[in-house]
Amino acid sequence: MPSHDFRGPRLFVDAPLAQDGRVELDRDQSNYLGNVLRLAAGAEVLAFNGRDGEWQAAIEGRKRPDGLVILQQTRPQDRLPDLAYVFAPLKHARLDYMVQKAIEMGAGTLQPVLTRFTQASRVNTERMRANVVEAAEQCGILSIATVAEPAPLERFLSQRAAGRLLIFCDEAAELENPIQSLQGARAAEGIDVLIGPEGGFAEEERALLLRQPKILRLALGPRIMRADTAAVAALALVQAVLGDWGGKTA
């Protein structure tokens, strides 16, 4: 496991970070540090912005925390794998869970797609972005994944780069060893991992997907999974074989 400081709080700030700089805290951040964590002036936290690495910082403020003084860098900036998680949105708490787990698994982009049997009619992308930040804060992640606006499946397929590998997780695929299937794939121009709705893909959607260039149709085993479980299973397989878990990037 990478060596990170998990004992102290980490805070995402949307401001430049550099030694001896100062960052203003917004009301929610001030409340979190002062009232939830009970930290006062002089206490130290770790700050990151997704661009400038991670920094040790000291809290400023007389009555309540209102700013951070940036002390020294603890880790340089990294970058996420070129791995997009493409999914039919779920409802409320299960979508929150899925977003958080996708971030923990190393997804660099989250792309909701709308299919015939998609359960959720509305997608709150601001809430998704908040979950991305929370997962990054809690898990020592330095880069902030991109949350794309929802798009119909057909539009997403027509606009994606043809050189990217599309891993189509299909419950109707012939059952084969997924690790062996992935080992034969090439992903030099990035990876899109697609998980559909719990009602499955319509036949015309499946036919459209199977006509895509550079596609790998993948079975996730002999059991039917809920969509949020399938996200973890699929991303773990892809990261282990094609991603950065083995010290290489997609």
Side-chain angles (χ1 to χ4, degrees):
M1 178 179 290
S3 178
H4 302 320
D5 180 7
F6 287 105
R7 292 171 294 178
R10 298 180 76 243
L11 193 66
F12 172 79
V13 294
D14 190 12
L17 295 173
Q19 190 166 0
D20 299 325
R22 187 180 188 280
V23 174
E24 296 286 339
L25 296 174
D26 63 31
R27 184 173 180 177
D28 289 341
Q29 292 170 329
S30 176
N31 178 69
Y32 174 68
L33 294 177
N35 296 328
V36 178
L37 298 183
R38 302 290 184 182
L39 298 178
E44 294 185 356
V45 300
L46 296 173
F48 69 106
N49 62 6
R51 305 183 299 273
D52 301 321
E54 180 186 75
W55 294 76
Q56 189 176 23
I59 296 174
E60 281 190 328
R62 292 185 177 180
K63 295 183 178 180
R64 62 181 179 83
D66 58 25
L68 298 176
V69 176
I70 309 304
L71 303 177
Q72 61 183 354
Q73 190 177 62
T74 55
R75 285 189 290 159
Q77 186 62 42
D78 62 8
R79 64 175 185 174
L80 293 169
D82 190 2
L83 173 62
Y85 179 58
V86 186
F87 60 95
L90 302 173
K91 294 181 179 179
H92 307 305
R94 290 182 58 210
L95 178 60
D96 294 344
Y97 172 88
M98 187 175 68
V99 168
Q100 292 164 5
K101 299 311 164 188
I103 297 307
E104 292 175 35
M105 305 297 278
T109 300
L110 301 179
Q111 173 64 70
V113 291
L114 307 177
T115 69
R116 178 188 289 188
F117 301 126
T118 296
Q119 294 179 342
S121 58
R122 298 179 61 185
V123 182
N124 187 338
T125 52
E126 286 305 311
R127 179 166 174 161
M128 288 177 58
R129 292 185 181 99
N131 276 296
V132 167
V133 169
E134 182 179 350
E137 287 177 333
Q138 293 179 353
C139 296
I141 298 170
L142 295 180
S143 298
I144 301 298
T146 299
V147 176
E149 291 300 315
L153 176 64
E154 295 84 352
R155 184 196 305 166
F156 165 75
L157 293 174
S158 69
Q159 294 177 348
R160 64 183 295 274
R164 295 178 64 84
L165 174 63
L166 176 61
I167 299 178
F168 170 30
C169 299
D170 185 5
E171 71 278 4
E174 183 177 349
L175 186 59
E176 296 179 349
N177 186 320
I179 294 177
Q180 292 179 358
S181 298
L182 288 166
Q183 285 173 336
R186 297 290 181 268
E189 298 183 40
I191 303 172
D192 298 328
V193 177
L194 173 63
I195 300 284
E198 294 194 336
F201 290 99
E203 285 307 311
E204 64 270 21
E205 292 171 337
R206 181 174 285 106
L208 176 62
L209 285 162
L210 294 177
R211 292 197 298 268
Q212 299 302 305
K214 204 168 183 183
I215 185 170
L216 172 62
R217 190 183 188 190
L218 193 69
L220 294 178
R223 286 165 290 278
I224 299 297
M225 300 178 186
R226 291 168 59 142
D228 44 352
T229 307
V232 177
L235 290 170
L237 286 167
V238 171
Q239 284 285 60
V241 179
L242 298 175
D244 63 1
W245 287 14
K248 59 182 179 180
T249 56

